[in-house]
Amino acid sequence: MEEVGKQYRDSSNLDIRIKIHEQYSTNKKDWHEWLFEHYTIEPGSRILELGSGDGTFWMKNKDRVPKDWKVTLSDFSSGMLADAQGKLGDDVNVTFKVIDIQAIPFEDDRFDAVIANHMLYHVPNRSQALKEVRRVLKPGGVFYSSTIGKQHMADFNELLKRFDPDLGFDLTNVQADAFGLENGAKQLEHFFDQVKLTCFPGGLQIDDVQAIADYILSSGTKAKAVLSGTKLEQFINYLEEVKKKNGGFIEITKATGLFESR
């Protein structure tokens, strides 16, 4: 998880990746609000979120969160968790803890609901992680885990290849190969009796090519090394040409969904 740690040591790269969805999604329902509406969590529940990032989900839904929920927000990255705590403040119903999902430091049957959004594909030992999630869930509890599919944002990769096939890197969705819409249910079914997938509809229509460049650069150190200086300027000019040919925007496919496991 070393590269993941570098990429998400704080919320700066994540902010870029969230922003492009907020600004250019063809589905006008906010992703975080959509997620909240697909959670069925009872009043008075004790909730653990693993990989909570910078707390954006809770900020966007703060007026809808029941006051009697007891929420523990956790992340592998202390820097990311600090960003979340700074954003959310000292809410009496929220606690913050650095946690590795592969070794959750809580007793058995503690939580009514566990959440892990867009993070299971980063976990080296997913079987151990899911075993831990199942262990800390109460009988009858629910596990919500969102992820991406193999076609998610794949158009960025095509843009890179058409611009210069010799760049030496791509954005192939290795995350979806690890834990995606296509194979997530099979992994979850080893630990849960009921697994249901609900997909989030829509894609992106982007009219600011700098947003595309920023997203690609946020993907890791290799992207920043290869796409810099003159090469970056040439790529942005290429994107402007593509945008003009496509009527003023560039379409990007999304494939995102939520697993509910009981």
Side-chain angles (χ1 to χ4, degrees):
M1 296 177 71
E2 183 178 353
E3 178 60 30
V4 176
K6 290 178 182 178
Q7 189 175 347
Y8 294 119
R9 60 167 53 97
D10 58 34
S11 63
S12 54
N13 284 324
L14 182 63
D15 289 343
I16 291 170
R17 303 173 86 78
I18 289 174
K19 186 177 179 181
I20 200 169
H21 294 284
E22 291 179 337
Q23 292 189 325
Y24 303 108
S25 178
T26 59
N27 184 345
K28 298 311 175 186
K29 170 65 70 174
D30 179 84
W31 160 250
H32 299 92
E33 294 175 0
W34 180 90
L35 276 179
F36 189 90
E37 291 165 7
H38 284 77
Y39 291 166
T40 302
I41 302 175
E42 297 300 320
S45 288
R46 185 172 282 165
I47 301 157
L48 170 65
E49 182 173 21
L50 298 154
S52 59
D54 66 351
T56 295
F57 169 83
W58 298 96
M59 277 295 297
K60 290 196 172 182
N61 292 292
K62 63 180 179 180
D63 294 333
R64 303 197 291 179
V65 174
K67 297 300 182 185
D68 60 357
W69 281 6
K70 294 179 177 62
V71 182
T72 300
L73 300 188
S74 71
D75 203 279
F76 186 75
S77 163
S78 58
M80 191 74 78
L81 203 61
D83 288 340
Q85 193 161 7
K87 182 177 291 187
L88 295 171
D90 297 322
D91 191 312
V92 294
N93 294 330
V94 178
T95 58
F96 302 86
K97 191 174 183 66
V98 175
I99 291 177
D100 179 350
I101 189 175
Q102 299 164 119
I104 301 173
F106 291 108
E107 69 273 16
D108 297 359
D109 305 334
R110 179 177 177 86
F111 296 98
D112 301 282
V114 176
I115 299 168
N117 287 328
H118 279 53
M119 63 82 72
L120 283 172
Y121 41 62
H122 290 311
V123 179
N125 190 338
R126 228 167 354 271
S127 291
Q128 175 62 22
L130 292 173
K131 182 179 178 181
E132 282 288 277
V133 168
R134 183 66 186 85
R135 179 183 65 78
V136 300
L137 268 177
K138 294 179 181 178
V142 59
F143 176 45
Y144 290 108
S145 53
S146 68
T147 189
I148 59 174
K150 292 182 179 179
Q151 296 306 310
H152 185 66
M153 313 294 262
D155 301 289
F156 285 156
N157 205 41
E158 292 305 311
L159 287 168
L160 284 167
K161 286 181 178 179
R162 290 201 296 268
F163 166 65
D164 185 348
D166 297 321
L167 279 178
F169 83 103
D170 59 38
L171 300 176
T172 302
N173 278 326
V174 294
Q175 293 96 339
D177 290 337
F179 180 86
L181 300 181
E182 296 83 1
N183 62 21
K186 186 174 181 180
Q187 297 180 53
L188 291 163
E189 285 166 356
H190 286 293
F191 301 92
F192 296 93
D193 299 321
Q194 303 171 37
V195 178
K196 181 178 76 171
L197 171 63
T198 304
C199 289
F200 181 76
L204 302 178
Q205 287 187 338
I206 304 173
D207 58 9
D208 180 1
V209 300
Q210 186 64 51
I212 294 176
D214 290 344
Y215 183 93
I216 292 171
L217 291 171
S218 76
S219 66
T221 53
K222 192 168 185 179
K224 291 178 181 178
V226 175
L227 272 183
S228 62
T230 302
K231 202 70 172 180
L232 179 58
E233 292 177 14
Q234 292 171 346
F235 181 57
I236 290 173
N237 290 336
Y238 167 74
L239 293 175
E240 288 286 3
E241 293 173 8
V242 174
K243 185 181 85 169
K244 186 175 180 180
K245 289 178 182 178
N246 290 346
F249 58 83
I250 296 175
E251 287 195 86
I252 303 295
T253 300
K254 288 176 62 174
T256 312
L258 174 68
F259 287 107
E260 176 184 314
S261 305
R262 296 181 178 272

